[in-house]
Amino acid sequence: MTLDRRSFIKLVGSASGLALAGCATQGPAVSAGSAADIMPKGSARRVVVVGGGYGGAIAAKYVRMLDKSIEVVMIERNDHFVSCPFSNLYIGGLIKDLDPLTIRYDKLTANHGVKVLQAEVTAVDPAAKTVVTTKGTLKYDRLIMSPGIDFRLEEMKGYDAAAMDLMPHAWKAGPQTVLLRKQLEAMKDGGTVVMSVPLAPYRCPPGPYERANMISLYLKQHKPKSKLIMLDANPDVSSKGALFKKGWKDNYANIFEYRGAKKVTEVDAKNRSVIIEGIDEVKGDVVNVIPPQRAGRIAVAAGLVGDDKNWCPVNPTTFESAKHKDIHVIGDACIAGAMPKSGYSANSEAKICAQNVVALMNGKPTTDMSGINVCYSYVTADQAISVAAVYTVKDGKIVGVPNSGGVSPIDYSQAKSEAIYAHSWLKNILTEMST
Ligand SMILES: Cc1cc2nc3c(=O)[nH]c(=O)nc-3n(C[C@H](O)[C@H](O)[C@H](O)COP(=O)(O)OP(=O)(O)OC[C@H]3O[C@@H](n4cnc5c(N)ncnc54)[C@H](O)[C@@H]3O)c2cc1C
């Protein structure tokens, strides 16, 4: 069975992962060997986007908004996306299910003509300018990669797939998040929860500390004889430190214990324990292991990571890879100077990347970013704190604009308002990604 380009686009354009999956089960309808069948003919130009998360969905949409003559195919392994932002609130019991954190892509197709292919990207060939997927091979003029993160499991002995089922990371939102919540619910009052935090940089610098707040809140409300111990590989709280510490002292003093400079390097899943650099063992009833991270596996396989072998160096204006021409990397996977690895950063990076991809494809001048990031963290059921900054390009690097942001007041005088702003932020950013 062969598939001509028009049929392929019809299938993909209807966001019909199922239709494509159907083809795949009938035979190699769109396979690595049949690229010619689905390549643009004539003058059509194509941007392929890998990943439909915080970076990818926005990049795909904005390329189409800026130039309708460019075909955009966004490839995502799932038919929906669950937001990590606010998943800590679910773990803490403030949100009852993941529905408010879940988006689908049908409106990106209907409103903007983004073609969504539900498939796993298995290889990228920068010389041939092709992307190999489980449903065939696509040619691109420019490729935007936003695959998020994967784990450096070689630095966490014993933490394999089976161990993840016993000691969830919950650092990619979805089933792992639900599992951690269920384990907390099943734990007896008087139990011990253990969390491990990797050395920075990792996805969402304040995320682990917000999670500590939400787990502590749940324990305080439902299992007050229980304890939470955080083992942080960093020497001290690495984001909004003074604010988090005040929150812990004021709200969770009898429940939460922070231990800095404790790098977990091994797990014993059967015993539900973690081991700190071969010396100390800490056992829990519920154990949340957040492993060290690097750019999503496909970015590594595509040869996009730099000398550190973890993250992808990029041009700070265009986000074009320093390793391969015509490939751009945004979001957690890239090295974006002073910008943290956050959903809001990924959103900002996606917009400037899309603008410059369109400019480059049309022979127009590129523009430096004026990017923004705000990270809200919930502390109690109705209080949140934040860190904010505006970013620009200076001397070939992305830097924070002096005095452009800052952190919340230390007296928590705005914390109730910030909890409301946080909800509004989430609603806006998820709506932008899915309409
Ligand atoms: C607990 C927690 C709380 C957080 N809170 C906040 C917050 O409050 N504010 C904030 O701004 N950020 C927050 N973040 C960070 C935010 O989630 C990430 O920074 C953001 O998701 C990065 O966007 P991305 O596009 O790089 O990756 P993602 O959003 O993870 O998207 C990557 C997508 O690529 C897909 N993909 C990967 N590889 C392939 C492949 N080979 N083939 C097909 N598809 C593939 C994945 O399925 C995924 O959908 C939080 C993170 C965590 C873990």
Side-chain angles (χ1 to χ4, degrees), residues 51 53-55 76-77 81 84-85 120-121 146-148 203 332 342-344:
Y54 271 89
E76 164 60 51
R77 60 164 70 100
F81 174 75
C84 284
E120 178 81 23
V121 177
S146 196
R203 157 176 282 185
D332 290 350
S342 75
Y344 205 161

Side-chain angles (χ1 to χ4, degrees), residues 319-386:
F319 285 82
E320 187 165 7
S321 163
K323 308 295 270 186
H324 289 300
K325 211 171 152 309
D326 301 328
I327 301 181
H328 303 249
V329 189
I330 56 173
D332 290 350
C334 79
I335 303 170
M339 292 191 97
K341 296 190 185 302
S342 75
Y344 205 161
S345 294
N347 177 291
S348 284
E349 291 158 18
K351 287 171 182 164
I352 193 68
C353 176
Q355 179 165 328
N356 285 326
V357 162
V358 170
L360 289 166
M361 289 175 82
N362 289 314
K364 298 264 168 59
T366 58
T367 312
D368 280 345
M369 75 146 52
S370 178
I372 190 164
N373 179 64
V374 183
C375 277
Y376 294 100
S377 303
Y378 263 71
V379 177
T380 65
D382 64 354
Q383 290 181 304
I385 52 177
S386 68

